[in-house]
Amino acid sequence: MSFPIGFRRRSYLFVLPIALGAAIGAQGHAPPRSFAAAAGSGVGTMAPQTTGVTNLSSIHSFNLKALAQENPTALHIEAESPLGNDALVFDTEANGGSFALAPPKAGVPWSKANFLVFDLWPEMEHCASVRLEFYKEGKAEPQIRVLMGALPRLRTRMVFPMQALDGQTIFLARDPGRLKGVVSGHRLGAEMISKVTFGLAPGPGAQKVWITGMYLSNVRPAAFPSGPSVVDRFGQWAVKSWPGKIQSEDELKQRNRQLLEEARAAKLPTDWSQYGGWKEKRFQATGFFHTQRDTKRWWLVDPEGYAFYSVGVDGVGPYSSGPTAGMEGLFNWIPPKTGQFAAATARSPVSGVSFVTANLIHVFGESWRTSWGEMARGLLQLWRFNTIGNWSEKSFTREARLPYVIPLEHFPSTAVLLYRDFPDVFDPKYADESLRFAQQLASVKDDPYLIGYFLRNEPQWAFGNNNLAAEMLATATSSYTRTALAEWLKGRYKGDLGALSTAWKRSLAAFDELEKAPIPDAESLSPAAAEDLRAFSAIMVDRYISLVCDAVRKVDSKHLNLGMRYASISSELCYQAGQYFDVFSINSYRMKPPADVIAEITRRTGKPVMIGEFHFGALDRGLPSTGLRGVASQGERGVAYRYYVEQGAQLPELVGMHYFIWNDQPVLGRFDGENYNIGLVDVVNLPYKELVAAATATNERIYKVAAGDLKAFDTPAKEIPRVAF
């Protein structure tokens, strides 16, 4: 899914001003890349709450009592708490002020630490979103922002790897119990830290957390033993009750079998074609989906030539998996890896389980997959969705005979990465990888139900307005692209090294110095340096996308290239890539599609736009996190869907919107820790009736709204502060 990192809302913070220690040592080792590794690497215990080194794992412990004494309005110490004795309490209203703590200079040795560690207990009805902000000396705004999630009323050890300050890591590897961790900003040397803040993101109500054992460590600490159980045998959140919550296996079977019968009776509207196109408006037929602009707007066109507006659902599949390693005690029951429920453990990207699958097996036995496919196809038609969206099960997209889109896998990369996931695009192997990448289209190139393909999802280099060439120069890593930059600058300055040195305000001994010597903050050297590096960044992006698009077009010239599903338009570089797409895709988690952004994309690229992801969640049923947009109730989720989709359908540049996602996410989080109430259906495969009823009403009238024959639904939903990370 989309992972926008705005951090624009007001924070509730307490501040730890730092007297800088000596700039000694490296920033530590890279965080583990698997959940299991995160759970088991390193040793350590909870650090005492006094300043100083008191055990082998801690190199500095923060004095929480002193922090509370200096900030009595925001913080206090409680002798007894869920975390034991003498825990620091941070208590704030949802929209209260910010809280600043100013302890005496303590010489905190940030540059010697590999991990910042603290233990947390959120005393609230929803998940906690913890914010850490790291400031650079002389800067008023944070250089690095971190958001980490924690389940309510559960002891969680929060571990932040200091290496993530290098700006290369956006999504932190999971630790048992902790939910998603996200990092944004630009690289910050630990020796340059001037201030660190700790706070909570805005929430829908009063928030209270207990904190203890806050310390810096040079090894990753051990995870907590897990317990008590917070997930019931059906994968539901055991802590809360709500109307319609499944109480028994008999009830599970009865309600799912009834839903299957409803799905079997579904038919498309009579004014829709076999592909879901609109029979009242027709263009030239080509046998495949294509784009067309009439006098009013852009359309997709189905293989028979009928106007097509894509309303879809992402992630349609009989799985919603999450890890269990290190958290076994939090489950009432975990499906076994062998026997009847083996399929429930077979699809997670890490060692884990899908209760969605287990519940289908409970209901339908050996025929669970066939029954699910029949049910899902019927429900899509019943709810008037005409597109199977991204991330959906491959076999289902091919067997359902409904229009679909696909994500291409394993976008070309190289051994050397220049910035985050941006490859060494001048490496000859990148062109070879592009050809390999394109071959996956060979098996679908003649399928008329395929609308098109997404090249990739939310490239990490595009999170933020980043100067790619400058980021490349910040390290000592050699690459083909750095060599190309040196040659390009040599041509740009006509071989005059002195002219380049003067323009950049940096003495250079030779052009090839640019190929290997680190130049931190190169775009800050001078306006000329910034301009040169921005111009070469555009060349990098052009090569990054053009080689791939040329390769896929050679394999499949019949289907639409739907772009990269950018998380946002973060810089001019995003527009440039659009010249190679047939449809420009973005993910947009707002209350309604951004008309100005969408219009500007089409103005810049000349291409129509598709929204690949949006969603809304609530806290009244199912899960303790809303997702990236929160609304007041399940009923308001339906209102939000209607408002978003119909307001978007009015925009002449927009040709489709796909809702994220089919199933709710797991209580303890999917592979990256998201546990959002965002599904059309829940973990027991039953629909959120208010949402699907509203979606059906909007989807049935989508063509007439898009054509301007009906006025768009114009009632905004009641929004609440999101609970997401």
Side-chain angles (χ1 to χ4, degrees), residues 174-481:
R174 283 200 67 184
D175 290 306
R178 177 180 62 75
L179 299 172
K180 190 175 183 180
V182 183
V183 182
S184 67
H186 296 278
R187 68 179 73 240
L188 172 64
E191 71 281 358
M192 294 298 293
I193 294 173
S194 62
K195 181 174 70 176
V196 176
T197 64
F198 174 104
L200 297 174
Q207 302 189 86
K208 179 180 180 180
V209 295
W210 279 277
I211 306 159
T212 191
M214 182 176 283
Y215 64 101
L216 296 175
S217 175
N218 52 20
V219 298
R220 180 179 286 274
F224 287 130
S226 62
S229 170
V230 296
V231 182
D232 72 13
R233 68 181 305 238
F234 302 115
Q236 301 170 119
W237 192 29
V239 177
K240 183 176 181 177
S241 296
W242 58 85
K245 185 177 183 180
I246 290 294
Q247 303 296 331
S248 69
E249 187 168 327
D250 286 343
E251 183 185 9
L252 177 73
K253 291 178 178 179
Q254 186 271 328
R255 292 176 64 185
N256 271 265
R257 289 170 180 172
Q258 180 181 346
L259 187 65
L260 175 57
E261 292 306 310
E262 294 174 11
R264 283 172 171 164
K267 295 180 180 180
L268 290 176
T270 57
D271 62 345
W272 286 18
S273 74
Q274 65 169 318
Y275 294 100
W278 190 34
K279 291 181 180 178
E280 295 185 24
K281 190 173 187 64
R282 195 165 191 178
F283 302 98
Q284 182 178 357
T286 65
F288 293 91
F289 283 90
H290 61 280
T291 61
Q292 180 74 49
R293 182 177 175 85
D294 64 15
T295 57
K296 293 182 179 179
R297 62 168 302 120
W298 281 95
W299 295 94
L300 297 175
V301 180
D302 79 9
E304 294 180 313
Y306 294 111
F308 187 89
Y309 196 95
S310 182
V311 282
V313 187
D314 293 322
V316 183
Y319 307 97
S320 184
S321 300
T324 59
M327 302 187 292
E328 291 85 353
L330 299 180
F331 294 88
N332 178 269
W333 172 76
I334 296 176
K337 295 181 179 180
T338 58
Q340 180 185 8
F341 292 97
T345 65
R347 291 294 296 261
S348 182
V350 293
S351 178
V353 66
S354 168
F355 279 94
V356 166
T357 312
N359 289 327
L360 289 168
I361 296 170
H362 276 302
V363 174
F364 299 113
E366 292 183 358
S367 67
W368 70 270
R369 174 58 185 78
T370 301
S371 296
W372 173 85
E374 188 178 3
M375 184 163 62
R377 185 183 191 278
L379 292 177
L380 286 168
Q381 292 185 316
L382 187 66
W383 300 335
R384 302 307 192 231
F385 287 101
N386 62 15
T387 304
I388 302 171
N390 213 41
W391 317 117
S392 296
E393 189 196 44
K394 291 181 181 179
S395 59
F396 178 69
T397 61
R398 300 303 298 275
E399 72 192 28
R401 295 188 66 78
L402 296 172
Y404 67 99
V405 296
I406 58 172
L408 298 187
E409 300 176 342
H410 308 299
F411 190 85
S413 189
T414 53
V416 172
L417 296 178
L418 305 179
Y419 176 63
R420 294 179 181 166
D421 57 359
F422 197 91
D424 186 2
V425 292
F426 282 88
D427 184 337
K429 292 182 180 178
Y430 183 72
D432 295 338
E433 282 294 292
S434 297
L435 296 174
R436 172 204 56 77
F437 174 76
Q439 289 304 312
Q440 63 192 291
L441 284 167
S443 63
V444 294
K445 65 184 179 66
D446 296 319
D447 187 351
Y449 283 95
L450 175 61
I451 297 171
Y453 49 86
F454 297 106
L455 297 174
R456 68 172 307 169
N457 185 65
E458 297 184 351
Q460 293 185 18
W461 61 264
F463 277 72
N465 186 9
N466 301 307
N467 188 320
L468 298 178
E471 294 288 353
M472 175 178 67
L473 290 180
T475 72
T477 303
S478 298
S479 66
Y480 289 92
T481 304

